[in-house]
Amino acid sequence: IGLRVRLTDRDDVLGSASARYQWEYARHAENDAQLRDQQVDLAVATSYAAKARQESTERNRGGDMIQGPELLFATARRIREYAGGMPEILCLVDDLEETAARHGTRLNAMTLKAERFNAYNAMEKKDMMGRRRRHEP
């Protein structure tokens, strides 16, 4: 499949340069056999974990002590499938499982706020003080 891109402007300062991009779809097995970018895997796992924590926290706040932990355990299992032995991702999985165990009981208001704050910071790529984290080049 392909795509041709051409950028133009009103005064034709950019000229008529264009670019063509092509890619092909691979079968599922071929796709899975490719080398993985571990930093991308970590970013995706962090995002999935944060979303699951946020949802579980909301369920706990609403009095649901069953589905929240189940969601966290399911997310941990899914992330473990592509962790590939990467320690940072495995720590994230362990933390999700510990969080699931906590969410099996009713959390007090302060703990709920802390859980939501931590999940939000992870999703927004912020540190514990709420400041945006800088990315390494």
Side-chain angles (χ1 to χ4, degrees):
I1 192 164
L3 170 72
R4 180 177 294 276
V5 179
R6 182 170 171 233
L7 183 62
T8 61
D9 65 289
R10 187 176 346 162
D11 300 324
D12 201 30
V13 173
L14 299 172
S16 61
S18 67
R20 183 170 173 83
Y21 299 94
Q22 288 187 248
W23 61 93
E24 75 179 59
Y25 292 97
R27 290 188 182 97
H28 191 67
E30 293 167 335
N31 187 45
D32 287 349
Q34 293 181 53
L35 291 177
R36 299 182 66 103
D37 184 331
Q38 290 186 332
Q39 292 309 309
V40 170
D41 285 347
L42 179 57
V44 169
T46 300
S47 179
Y48 282 153
K51 184 166 176 39
R53 277 191 190 99
Q54 190 174 44
E55 194 169 322
S56 179
T57 300
E58 288 305 311
R59 289 175 190 247
N60 187 286
R61 190 175 128 228
D64 181 353
M65 298 341 138
I66 304 293
Q67 290 186 349
E70 286 177 2
L71 173 67
L72 291 169
F73 281 124
T75 302
R77 280 191 304 273
R78 176 67 183 111
I79 291 171
R80 190 182 299 280
E81 289 176 6
Y82 62 84
M86 188 173 173
E88 294 95 332
I89 296 178
L90 293 173
C91 282
L92 186 63
V93 168
D94 290 343
D95 186 55
L96 272 177
E97 292 170 344
E98 289 171 12
T99 301
R102 282 196 315 274
H103 283 213
T105 60
R106 183 83 181 207
L107 301 175
N108 65 44
M110 288 302 292
T111 303
L112 285 169
K113 286 181 182 184
E115 294 277 339
R116 291 183 72 213
F117 180 74
N118 292 336
Y120 172 81
N121 282 344
M123 287 175 61
E124 295 296 319
K125 297 174 181 56
K126 293 184 177 185
D127 65 16
M128 295 306 289
M129 298 300 291
R131 297 176 301 229
R132 180 111 8 225
R133 282 183 261 166
R134 295 181 187 213
H135 294 285
E136 300 282 325

